[in-house]
Amino acid sequence: LSIDGLRGSVHPFDARIHEVRPYPGQVTSAGNIRRLLEGSAINKSHEHCGRVQDAYSLRCAAQLHGAAREALTFARTLLMTEANAATDNPMVFVADNQTDDEIVSGGNFHGAPVAIAADVIVLALAQLATISERRSDRLVNPALSDLPAFLTADSGLQSGYMMAQVTAAALASEIKTLAHPASVDTIPTSANREDHVSMSMGAALKATQALELATRVVAVEILCACQAIDFLAPLTTAPALARVHARVRSVVPALTVDRPPAPDIEAIAALITNGSLVAAIAAEVK
C-alpha cells in the first residue's frame, strides 16, 4: 500500500534480483510484494516516469523484511525445540532392564536458547518497525510524497496524520531501547553456584513489549497508506490491496477533519493481531 501510495516502482522486486541473493525470506517477501501490486492502475500510471530509484524504505523492503523473516525462522526453530525438549534437573533415565536406571544432574534448565530467540525476535521487530516508520514519514511529507501535506486536504487548518507519524517515531525509538539483548547480561546468584544465568525471562518480556509497539508502528503506516490511496483516486490500487483498503475502511473512515488518531491506530492494530488483513490477501502471500 505504501509503495502504491508513494507511486514507487515494482521493478526492485523483480524475481531475477532476488534469485541471485537467494535468502528464502527475501525471495518470499519480493514475491509477495509483486503479487500484491499486480493489476494496480496507480502503478501503471507512472510506469515510465523519470524517477531513477526509490528510497531504501521502498526498494529495499524485500531485503529487510526478508532478513526479519530469516531471524524469526531461526527463533521459531529454537523455541519449537525448547517446547518439545526435556528441561528438568536432575534427569531420570530408565533402562529396559531396570538395572541401569540413572538419575543424572545436568544443565538442561539453562534458558540460553529461549533468551537468544527472544532477543532475535526483538531485533527483527526493530528492523520492521524502523523501516515502517520511514515509509510513514514519506507518506506525510509533501516534499517526498507529492501528496497533500500530512495527508489532509487542508493542512493549513488541519494537522492530518502529523501526530500519527510522530507516534510511530516515538514507538520505533522505544523499540530500539528494547533491542539491547538481555541474553548478554548475567548476574551470579545462589552463592555463586548459579554463576551464569540466561536472563530469558527479561528477554521474553522485552519481546512481548516490542511486539505490541511494532504492531502499532505498522498500524500507523497502514493508516497513512490507505489515506494516500484515497488521495490518488480515481486511480485505483491493485485488487488485492483494494481488499485490504476496504477492510481498513470498514473500521476506520477516511480522514476529512482532524480527530484523535489513537482509536484509528488501535482499530488497525486489532486487524493486524486478529489476522483480518492477512486473510484479505491470503491467496497472494506466503
Side-chain angles (χ1 to χ4, degrees):
L1 279 168
S2 295
I3 290 168
D4 233 12
L6 290 166
R7 284 162 284 194
S9 174
V10 73
H11 296 303
F13 311 104
D14 187 309
R16 294 170 295 180
I17 293 174
H18 304 279
E19 287 167 357
V20 295
R21 196 190 191 194
Y23 294 107
Q26 178 177 327
V27 171
T28 298
S29 292
N32 287 343
I33 296 171
R34 283 196 311 275
R35 288 186 294 273
L36 289 173
L37 286 168
E38 192 171 326
S40 168
I42 295 171
N43 191 268
K44 189 70 174 176
S45 71
H46 60 82
E47 189 173 24
H48 302 292
C49 70
R51 186 185 299 172
V52 177
Q53 294 187 115
D54 293 327
Y56 282 13
S57 59
L58 301 183
R59 63 182 159 110
C60 297
Q63 285 82 358
L64 190 144
H65 292 194
R69 280 176 173 265
E70 298 293 338
L72 294 173
T73 297
F74 169 75
R76 184 180 292 109
T77 298
L78 290 183
L79 294 173
M80 290 298 291
T81 300
E82 182 74 3
N84 291 282
T87 57
D88 291 330
N89 184 57
M91 301 294 294
V92 179
F93 297 98
V94 179
D96 290 339
N97 58 18
Q98 296 185 342
T99 59
D100 294 324
D101 295 350
E102 283 193 85
I103 298 176
V104 183
S105 179
N108 274 4
F109 55 82
H110 198 286
V114 174
I116 291 171
D119 282 339
V120 167
I121 288 170
V122 181
L123 291 174
L125 290 170
Q127 294 293 315
L128 293 172
T130 51
I131 198 171
S132 173
E133 183 278 326
R134 287 294 79 202
R135 290 189 293 260
S136 294
D137 178 71
R138 299 189 78 83
L139 285 160
V140 301
N141 187 339
L144 302 175
S145 68
D146 294 324
L147 293 164
F150 305 112
L151 297 169
T152 179
D154 191 359
S155 62
L157 182 64
Q158 306 287 332
S159 295
Y161 285 131
M162 177 192 297
M163 294 311 298
Q165 185 273 321
V166 170
T167 299
L171 298 182
S173 293
E174 188 173 351
I175 294 170
K176 293 175 190 177
T177 68
L178 296 171
H180 177 79
S183 59
V184 300
D185 189 24
T186 177
I187 298 178
T189 59
S190 300
N192 216 39
R193 184 170 299 279
E194 298 174 0
D195 60 346
H196 187 285
V197 296
S198 68
M199 308 303 287
S200 56
M201 178 60 76
L205 291 171
K206 290 199 303 97
T208 300
Q209 186 177 354
L211 177 60
E212 293 176 356
L213 299 176
T215 300
R216 282 145 186 85
V217 173
V218 174
V220 170
E221 181 184 359
I222 293 171
L223 182 68
C224 293
C226 286
Q227 186 82 352
I229 295 298
D230 291 337
F231 273 117
L232 294 176
L235 291 173
T236 57
T237 189
L241 294 176
R243 296 196 299 272
V244 174
H245 181 275
R247 186 70 186 90
V248 171
R249 285 286 171 258
S250 72
V251 296
V252 176
L255 186 70
T256 54
V257 296
D258 280 354
R259 62 176 183 261
D264 293 350
I265 295 170
E266 287 303 311
I268 297 174
L271 295 181
I272 295 171
T273 302
N274 66 27
S276 294
L277 298 185
V278 173
I281 52 174
E284 285 81 12
V285 298
K286 296 180 180 178

